[in-house]
Amino acid sequence: KTLNPQWREQFDFHLYEERGGIIDITVWDKDAGKKDDFIGRCQVDLSTLSKEQTHKLEMPLEEGEGCLVLLVTLTASAAVTVSDLSVNSLEDQKERAEILKRYSPMAMFHNMKDVGFLQVKVIRAEALMAADVTGKDSDPFCVVELNNDRLLTHTIYKNLNPEWNKIFTFNIKDIHSVLEVTVYDEDRDRSADFLGKVAIPLLSV
């Protein structure tokens, strides 16, 4: 019940040069029991922003009224990564020694927010639902999320048994976090179709 909301939420997105740098943002009115109403949208072109600097942006909402106020910072980060299964940093003895040193009892109070290190191998999916118009195939990709860190695999087209063979590396900031792994069907003309999801509490790992 407000036209001037303050969310004060922080989201960490991971930018790869080859994928471009446009962030699409939509604003909605949440309606209990029925479909949410569209309020407006805006786009942020990250290529126009200088790096290692926080930018305050006031973005007018297209197809609606008002504006969205954002703080955007582009910075280098090696904490969260995606790599191929053939490149496993935990099997690199030097890398493993650095990680063990980083989380040793002696370093426990160095950074209280750096709780740990999580590596997830997304190998494959089997017997996915067919979501294409033909009803025979899907174009699946997998999204792995931990808090506001969101990484995804490439899409494998026309395959209900895709093999991605990717490694996702995250920093753990809260041991009570839940790892969410979701599979979608890519649709170039509209939003991706949901194919399935699994949630894994870190405390169960």
Side-chain angles (χ1 to χ4, degrees):
K1 297 188 182 299
T2 178
L3 299 179
N4 301 286
Q6 293 189 34
W7 295 289
R8 300 187 183 279
E9 292 279 352
Q10 177 175 318
F11 296 91
D12 298 323
F13 296 97
H14 302 280
L15 180 66
Y16 301 92
E17 297 291 341
E18 67 274 12
R19 294 183 186 172
I22 302 292
I23 296 181
D24 292 299
I25 303 173
T26 54
V27 183
W28 300 81
D29 170 52
K30 191 172 184 65
D31 281 329
K34 57 180 181 176
K35 191 174 180 180
D36 296 339
D37 297 314
F38 177 78
I39 290 179
R41 63 160 40 90
C42 64
Q43 283 191 334
V44 180
D45 185 354
L46 299 180
S47 67
T48 64
L49 304 179
S50 55
K51 297 178 181 178
E52 305 302 337
Q53 181 181 341
T54 298
H55 302 268
K56 183 177 181 180
L57 307 178
E58 295 187 14
M59 308 294 297
L61 290 175
E62 301 171 9
E63 303 172 46
E65 298 179 9
C67 70
L68 201 60
V69 180
L70 310 168
L71 295 176
V72 181
T73 308
L74 289 177
T75 185
S77 172
V80 180
T81 61
V82 183
S83 61
D84 290 323
L85 200 60
S86 58
V87 183
N88 188 346
S89 61
L90 285 185
E91 290 172 1
D92 183 314
Q93 292 303 313
K94 185 177 179 181
E95 183 76 15
R96 190 177 183 87
E98 284 294 322
I99 292 168
L100 291 174
K101 181 181 177 182
R102 180 173 166 185
Y103 297 111
S104 70
M106 295 292 288
M108 187 179 296
F109 300 105
H110 181 68
N111 185 352
M112 296 296 286
K113 292 184 179 180
D114 188 2
V115 178
F117 176 91
L118 176 69
Q119 191 169 89
V120 182
K121 299 179 182 180
V122 179
I123 300 171
R124 66 180 183 274
E126 296 177 355
L128 293 176
M129 179 176 65
D132 283 353
V133 178
T134 61
K136 295 180 179 179
D137 288 305
S138 287
D139 302 321
F141 66 95
C142 184
V143 177
V144 184
E145 297 173 90
L146 185 65
N147 296 324
N148 285 333
D149 287 326
R150 184 177 189 270
L151 300 175
L152 61 157
T153 68
H154 57 291
T155 301
I156 297 182
Y157 295 97
K158 299 190 181 303
N159 197 322
L160 299 181
N161 301 283
E163 289 196 20
W164 294 291
N165 291 318
K166 291 291 183 183
I167 299 174
F168 298 86
T169 304
F170 297 93
N171 269 352
I172 302 172
K173 299 171 185 174
D174 183 353
I175 195 62
H176 298 96
S177 298
V178 176
L179 177 73
E180 295 185 353
V181 184
T182 312
V183 180
Y184 294 96
D185 168 59
E186 181 185 296
D187 194 322
R188 295 178 182 179
D189 298 325
R190 52 192 173 90
S191 59
D193 295 317
F194 175 82
L195 296 181
K197 179 177 182 177
V198 61
I200 306 168
L202 294 188
L203 287 174
S204 69
V205 178

